[in-house]
Amino acid sequence: MSHLHVTDLAYAHPGGDLLFSGASFRLKPGQHAALVGANGVGKTTLLKVVAGVLAADGGEVAAGGRIAMMPQDVGVGDEDRTVRELLLSVADAPLRDAGTRMAQHELETTDPDPEAAARAGMAFAEAIDDWGRGGGYELEAQWDAACRRVVGAGLSEVGDRPAVTLSGGERKRLVLDLLLASDAAIVLLDEPDNFLDIPGKRALEAAVRGSRKTILMISHDREVLSAAVDSIVTLEAGGAWVHGDAYGTYPEAREARRRRMGDRLKQWKEEERRLRDYVRILKERARYSPDFAKKADAAETRWKRFVDAGPPPAPAVDHAITVRLRGGDSARRVLDLRALGIDDLMRPLTDEVHFGERVGLIGPNGSGKTHLVRLIAGEDVPHSGALVQGPRVSVGVFSQLNARTDFAGRTCLEIVHERTADHQRAMGALARYGLVDAHDRAYDVLSGGQKARLEILCLELEGHNLLLLDEPTDNLDIDSCAALEQALEGFEGTVVAVSHDRAFLRGLDRFWLLGHDGRVRALGSPDEAIAALEQGVGAR
C-alpha cells in the first residue's frame, strides 16, 4: 500500500536553527496532496527528509513502498551533467549505483597503466552485469520513449548532450514522465510547474490527476493547485496541518482555522487568569480565616496543573509580505519598438508601450520572451530594427532564475543597506519582506522564494518606473504572489512581464504572444491570451 505517514518530524539547520518540529500528516494510498507554506519555512527540506536525502533530527517517516523525488533544481547546477546522467539521477538507488559505476570504470579502462586498465575493465564488466540484472536495459527503453515524447529525439541522439542544453521545462517534463511511469509507489515533486508553459502545466495537472501513485508536490501556482491535488498539507508555525479538500476551499479553511486557534488561545488565557485570581482571593481570605486555607491550596494545585499542561497552539504568524512599489512619472511613450526583431527568434515587431500599461510577454518555452526582456533591459542581444526608450524612464529587472551575480557572497542586510544607507531602515524593509531572520545569511544559501523576495525588495528601494519582470511568481509563496499582484495594481509606472502563471496574467492589460515561428501576435485581454496559450497558439 502506497501510504505515507509522517510523525513528529523535526529538522534543524547545521548551524543549529530549528526549521520545523512536530510535523505530522498522513496521506492515503493514491492521495494527491500539495505541500504549501511561506518561503523559507522548510518545504523543500521536508521533502528531502521524507525522501531520505537528509536525516531528520526527530520523528519518523513510514512509507508503503519506494519513494522517488524530483528536485526543484533538476538538471541545474552541474554544467557537465549529460541528459543520460540527469535521467540516471532519478533512477532507483541500485540502478543509479550500477550506472554510475559503469560510467566511471569505462573511463578508467583508458588508463595508460595496463594493470589499472585491466582492473577497471573487470569492474566495468561487473557494473554492466549489475545494470543488466537490475533492469537497466528496460530502463533505457523507458528513457528513449520519454526523450522522444518530450524532446522529439531518441536517447541515442540526446543522451550525451549537456542537460542544460534542454530548456528548464523539457528537463522537468522528462523527469516527471519517468517518475510517474516508474515503479515508485510515492512520488515527491518539488515545484514541477516551474519553467513549464501553460500547455505544459495543463499536461502536469492531468498527469497528476490521472496517476494512481501517492503524490506530494510543492507548488505556488494557484491554478495548478486547484486542478491537480485533492488535499493541502500546510507547513507553518513549526508544524503541519492538513486540509482534506481541494485548494478552492483552502483559503477559507485556513482563515477559519486561525480564528479557532485564536479563540482557543484567548479562552485558555482567560481561564488561566480566572484561576490565578481565584487563588489570590482565597489566599487573601485565608489570612483572616483558616477555613479558606485548604480551599486555597486545592485551587492553587488546580491552577498549577492547568498552567503545566500549557496553552493550545497559537495561530500561525501571517507571513504575507508588504510590497510598496511606488514608481514615478515618465514620458507617455515608455518604449518605441521600430521593426524590432531578435536574430533567429522573433520577427520584426512595431509597437509602443505607454506609461501605466501592463504588458504580458507570453508564449511557449523557447520562443524568445527572456531574450526580449534582456534586450529591453539594455543587454547586448543580437537584433535588428530599433528600440527607443522614452525620457525619464528608469528600468528595473527581475531575473527569472534569481541569479544575481552582484548579490553573490553578500548578506541580505548588506544588499539592502546599500540601497537604504540606514541600518534601521534596512532591517525594517527586510521585516516587511519576511527576511529579517535571514538578514545575516548569504544570498547564495537563501531559498528560491527568499531570493525572489529580496529581488523585489531591491526593485522597490531603487524606485524604478519601468519594471521588467521575468517569471516573478515562480518561487514566491502563495501569499507573496497575492501581495505582489496587489502592489502592482497601485504601482505608478509601467510593467512588462513574462509569466506562465494564469492568476498573475489576469492582472495584466494586453499581451504579445511570441511563437516558435517568430511571429508576435497582439492580444487584447487576459481571457484571450490564456485561451490562445491553452490552444497551443505559437507552439511547434
Side-chain angles (χ1 to χ4, degrees):
M1 298 292 284
S2 56
H3 65 270
L4 177 63
H5 294 177
V6 172
T7 307
D8 292 330
L9 212 58
Y11 183 85
H13 288 298
D17 291 339
L18 184 66
L19 195 57
F20 53 79
S21 64
S24 300
F25 58 89
R26 295 189 170 203
L27 301 185
K28 298 178 293 186
Q31 189 171 353
H32 303 152
L35 179 62
V36 303
N39 292 137
V41 77
K43 300 185 295 297
T44 291
T45 300
L46 188 143
L47 283 196
K48 289 180 177 179
V49 171
V50 171
V53 177
L54 295 175
D57 293 313
E60 60 182 21
V61 175
R66 184 169 78 85
I67 298 176
M69 178 177 172
M70 174 196 281
Q72 179 180 6
D73 55 354
V74 62
V76 177
D78 185 353
E79 301 297 322
D80 298 325
R81 175 184 269 189
T82 65
V83 171
R84 185 184 184 91
E85 289 168 335
L86 166 65
L87 300 174
L88 182 63
S89 71
V90 295
D92 195 10
L95 275 177
R96 188 165 64 247
D97 174 66
T100 302
R101 286 188 285 115
M102 281 172 56
Q104 175 185 342
H105 296 316
E106 184 177 17
L107 288 174
E108 293 171 350
T109 58
T110 61
D111 195 302
D113 180 351
E115 291 187 6
R119 287 195 300 271
M122 293 179 62
F124 181 44
E126 183 179 341
I128 289 176
D129 185 55
D130 291 342
W131 177 258
R133 286 190 292 106
Y137 296 111
E138 292 82 354
L139 181 62
E140 286 183 335
Q142 294 177 27
W143 290 353
D144 182 74
C147 287
R148 291 181 187 280
R149 281 192 294 270
V150 174
V151 187
L155 181 64
S156 61
E157 299 170 75
V158 302
D160 293 329
R161 284 171 50 185
V164 293
T165 62
L166 302 183
S167 72
E170 287 173 328
R171 293 193 298 269
K172 295 248 176 177
R173 287 162 52 204
L174 258 182
V175 172
L176 181 69
D177 188 298
L178 287 171
L179 292 186
L180 292 183
S182 71
D183 64 353
I186 301 156
V187 174
L188 310 177
L189 305 175
D190 193 350
E191 301 197 26
D193 49 302
N194 276 11
F195 305 116
L196 294 185
D197 54 24
I198 289 181
K201 292 188 178 190
R202 286 292 196 196
L204 167 67
E205 294 160 6
V208 171
R209 280 198 312 270
S211 176
R212 300 180 65 181
K213 299 181 185 297
T214 301
I215 297 175
L216 179 62
M217 61 183 281
I218 298 173
S219 176
H220 302 136
D221 189 308
R222 289 149 286 183
E223 301 218 9
V224 169
L225 293 176
S226 296
V229 301
D230 49 35
S231 57
I232 310 291
V233 179
T234 304
L235 188 61
E236 64 181 0
W241 63 277
V242 178
H243 172 60
D245 203 347
Y247 181 75
T249 59
Y250 172 73
E252 293 78 9
R254 182 185 181 205
E255 184 56 35
R257 182 177 184 271
R258 292 180 64 177
R259 285 197 302 270
R260 288 195 304 272
M261 293 179 72
D263 290 344
R264 285 200 296 268
L265 183 58
K266 179 181 178 183
Q267 291 168 3
W268 186 92
K269 290 179 177 179
E270 290 174 349
E271 179 65 6
E272 189 276 333
R273 187 182 303 111
R274 187 189 69 80
L275 292 174
R276 179 165 26 97
D277 289 344
Y278 185 53
V279 171
R280 179 181 55 77
I281 291 170
L282 290 179
K283 283 190 172 184
E284 184 70 23
R285 291 177 180 176
R287 293 172 56 191
Y288 303 102
S289 173
D291 294 341
F292 286 98
K294 288 185 179 181
K295 291 183 179 180
D297 290 342
E300 186 171 26
T301 299
R302 189 163 60 251
W303 169 60
K304 287 182 176 179
R305 286 176 180 169
F306 184 83
V307 171
D308 289 344
V317 177
D318 187 358
H319 288 280
I321 63 176
T322 305
V323 185
R324 299 171 181 168
L325 294 170
R326 294 184 177 84
D329 193 18
S330 73
R332 177 180 177 275
R333 183 187 299 161
V334 175
L335 297 172
D336 186 1
L337 286 65
R338 301 175 182 175
L340 184 69
I342 299 177
D343 295 2
D344 301 322
L345 279 175
M346 190 182 86
R347 296 183 190 179
L349 169 65
T350 297
D351 203 342
E352 294 180 354
V353 176
H354 297 153
F355 178 76
E357 284 193 306
R358 273 65 171 144
V359 180
L361 303 186
I362 59 175
N365 292 329
S367 58
K369 301 182 295 296
T370 294
H371 284 75
L372 181 54
V373 167
R374 290 174 49 215
L375 179 56
I376 296 173
E379 293 188 36
D380 186 15
V381 177
H383 66 281
S384 58
L387 172 67
V388 179
Q389 183 176 296
R392 304 189 311 281
V393 173
S394 171
V395 180
V397 182
F398 179 97
S399 60
Q400 180 181 16
L401 297 177
N402 308 124
R404 292 285 296 262
T405 56
D406 55 325
F407 289 178
R410 305 170 66 196
T411 67
C412 291
L413 181 57
E414 289 170 342
I415 293 166
V416 174
H417 190 275
E418 182 181 49
R419 289 159 173 79
T420 62
D422 180 272
H423 179 84
Q424 186 172 353
R425 187 179 168 213
M427 289 297 288
L430 288 169
R432 286 194 291 107
Y433 278 74
L435 294 170
V436 72
D437 290 340
H439 75 280
D440 57 350
R441 291 184 203 158
Y443 172 78
D444 314 74
V445 302
L446 298 178
S447 71
Q450 289 171 321
K451 288 180 179 179
R453 289 184 180 200
L454 181 62
E455 197 164 349
I456 293 170
L457 171 56
C458 290
L459 289 179
E460 172 192 309
L461 296 173
E462 291 160 2
H464 305 288
N465 54 23
L466 171 59
L467 299 181
L468 306 178
L469 309 177
D470 195 352
E471 301 283 6
T473 63
D474 260 8
N475 288 313
L476 290 178
D477 60 59
I478 295 168
D479 290 343
S480 299
C481 289
L484 173 61
E485 290 161 7
Q486 184 176 4
L488 289 175
E489 287 181 11
F491 172 63
E492 185 185 357
T494 309
V495 178
V496 177
V498 176
S499 182
H500 298 298
D501 183 332
R502 285 155 287 183
F504 181 83
L505 291 176
R506 289 190 173 89
L508 305 181
D509 300 329
R510 64 186 182 97
F511 301 84
W512 294 332
L513 192 160
L514 282 66
H516 281 304
D517 58 3
R519 291 178 57 197
V520 181
R521 298 164 177 83
L523 302 172
S525 73
D527 289 342
E528 186 181 2
I530 293 170
L533 291 169
E534 290 178 338
Q535 293 163 13
V537 175
R540 286 192 179 94

